[in-house]
Amino acid sequence: MLPMPNARQPKGLFLTHRRRPLPPAEQVMPKALRNVILLLASAAVLVPLAYAVVLALTPISQFGGSDLLPSHWDFENFVTMWSDAPLVRGFVDTMLVAGCAAALAVVV
């Protein structure tokens, strides 16, 4: 039930004051410091991701070596993964369970 415009509103149920506007970002933190924090946060996400991609494309014969980058890129790891592991079966099972859960959630 909506309150009537002329009706007396009980105290405590409605906001009676406005929120203070937030200060500009420059007053909270200098721009250079914000950029350094964003750069560090981005590096914290992108460096492990790039390392995982490099490791995935490194041939098995070069694992554990002292080189950071492999001498050549090898996609054999992905071929082995799809042929040796039952990933397709697991994907189908996941879709079946998720589909049944979604249908049950719609019905209930």
Side-chain angles (χ1 to χ4, degrees):
M1 181 162 127
L2 295 174
M4 299 298 291
N6 295 332
R8 191 174 143 202
Q9 295 178 356
K11 291 185 179 182
L13 293 179
F14 299 97
L15 291 176
T16 58
H17 64 282
R18 292 182 179 219
R19 296 179 81 183
R20 287 185 316 203
L22 293 175
E26 291 80 17
Q27 290 179 357
V28 175
M29 188 181 307
K31 187 174 184 178
L33 182 59
R34 278 186 295 152
N35 288 340
V36 167
I37 290 172
L38 286 173
L39 182 69
L40 291 174
S42 298
V45 171
L46 294 176
V47 168
L49 183 63
Y51 186 66
V53 169
V54 167
L55 281 181
L57 296 174
T58 300
I60 294 176
S61 61
Q62 293 184 0
F63 276 173
S66 61
D67 295 334
L68 183 61
L69 295 175
S71 59
H72 67 281
W73 303 106
D74 187 14
F75 288 90
E76 186 63 29
N77 295 335
F78 293 100
V79 173
T80 303
M81 173 190 67
W82 281 103
S83 62
D84 290 354
L87 294 178
V88 176
R89 173 69 185 192
F91 180 75
V92 170
D93 290 346
T94 300
M95 290 297 111
L96 181 66
V97 169
C100 290
L104 185 64
V106 168
V107 171
V108 173

